[in-house]
Amino acid sequence: NRVAKANLVIVESPAKAKTIGKYLGPTYQVLASMGHVRDLPKSKMGVDLETGEFEPQYQPIKGKEETIAQLKDAADHSKKVYLATDPDREGEAISWHLKELLELPDDKTSRVTFNEITKQAVRSGIASPRDIDIDLVNAQQARRILDRIVGYQLSPFLWRKVKRGLSAGRVQSVATRLVVDRENEIRAFV
């Protein structure tokens, strides 16, 4: 039976994991999630449009099974888990996805951030844990869901009419609309 390491720190990048591990010492295990661990499915909409709730249907990302299993095992054998993904909306969402996917209990899990990877900043971040900011998570989810709803319907149209492999999301669709509206104004001008 494995002895529990005192603390697990999960970051996004393996390079950061190595450096942060040196700064924190042997009572911390620092592992990388390699970015996102779950997302909307690739082969279907993945967002419930029927009920009007726009509930996303997340699933683990294919090819990440080994990373997820390693993180789950390490978390199960740690007294405390620090989610130290990047200090932005995307990082906040990755932390939330990790917490959900690894089934981390609230009393064992904290969110920490570092604005730079220096010994002082890392130790200061670990000393100032907080809860996941669900408003930041929801902002990222709204962006992701909107991209999916628009892109999933618009991209196949682009493939048929312009070029295979192009993708369009919430930004490209608005830009396209502006161009089309302007072109129609030009054609209608007498």
Side-chain angles (χ1 to χ4, degrees):
N1 212 4
R2 281 175 39 173
V3 175
K5 274 242 184 196
N7 303 292
L8 170 65
V9 178
I10 302 175
V11 297
E12 289 181 49
S13 120
K16 285 182 187 175
K18 196 171 183 181
T19 305
I20 290 168
K22 286 179 193 171
Y23 293 155
L24 293 175
T27 59
Y28 289 84
Q29 179 180 19
V30 185
L31 297 175
S33 71
M34 316 288 260
H36 278 279
V37 289
R38 69 179 191 165
D39 196 7
L40 299 171
K42 285 194 180 295
S43 59
K44 60 181 184 175
M45 177 67 77
V47 178
D48 178 9
L49 300 178
E50 301 300 316
T51 63
E53 297 292 320
F54 300 100
E55 190 68 35
Q57 295 143 5
Y58 295 114
Q59 64 184 33
I61 294 174
K62 284 189 186 352
K64 291 276 187 127
E65 297 84 3
E66 192 176 316
T67 300
I68 292 167
Q70 180 188 25
L71 293 172
K72 177 78 173 137
D73 183 59
D76 288 346
H77 292 90
S78 296
K79 293 177 186 162
K80 185 84 177 151
V81 178
Y82 294 96
L83 300 169
T85 53
D86 292 352
D88 55 18
R89 274 190 306 253
E90 204 75 23
E92 204 74 19
I94 291 171
S95 283
W96 177 77
H97 283 295
L98 284 163
K99 186 174 186 302
E100 295 289 310
L101 186 61
L102 303 178
E103 300 170 340
L104 302 174
D106 289 342
D107 63 341
K108 180 180 173 171
T109 310
S110 293
R111 173 79 167 111
V112 295
T113 56
F114 322 119
N115 289 318
E116 58 187 15
I117 309 299
T118 62
K119 193 173 202 172
Q120 182 181 348
V122 168
R123 288 189 172 173
S124 175
I126 292 289
S128 307
R130 61 173 173 81
D131 292 332
I132 291 172
D133 185 337
I134 201 66
D135 289 337
L136 289 178
V137 172
N138 287 337
Q140 190 278 340
Q141 283 193 97
R143 182 197 64 76
R144 181 71 186 101
I145 290 167
L146 194 53
D147 270 346
R148 173 54 61 98
I149 292 169
V150 172
Y152 205 79
Q153 296 174 34
L154 189 56
S155 294
F157 174 77
L158 284 175
W159 301 340
R160 286 191 308 272
K161 300 292 184 184
V162 183
K163 182 182 174 194
R164 184 99 185 122
L166 293 176
S167 64
R170 67 196 190 290
V171 175
Q172 295 88 346
S173 62
V174 174
T176 303
R177 175 67 187 261
L178 291 170
V179 170
V180 168
D181 285 351
R182 185 69 180 130
E183 183 62 26
N184 287 338
E185 287 174 18
I186 292 167
R187 288 180 180 180
F189 181 74
V190 177

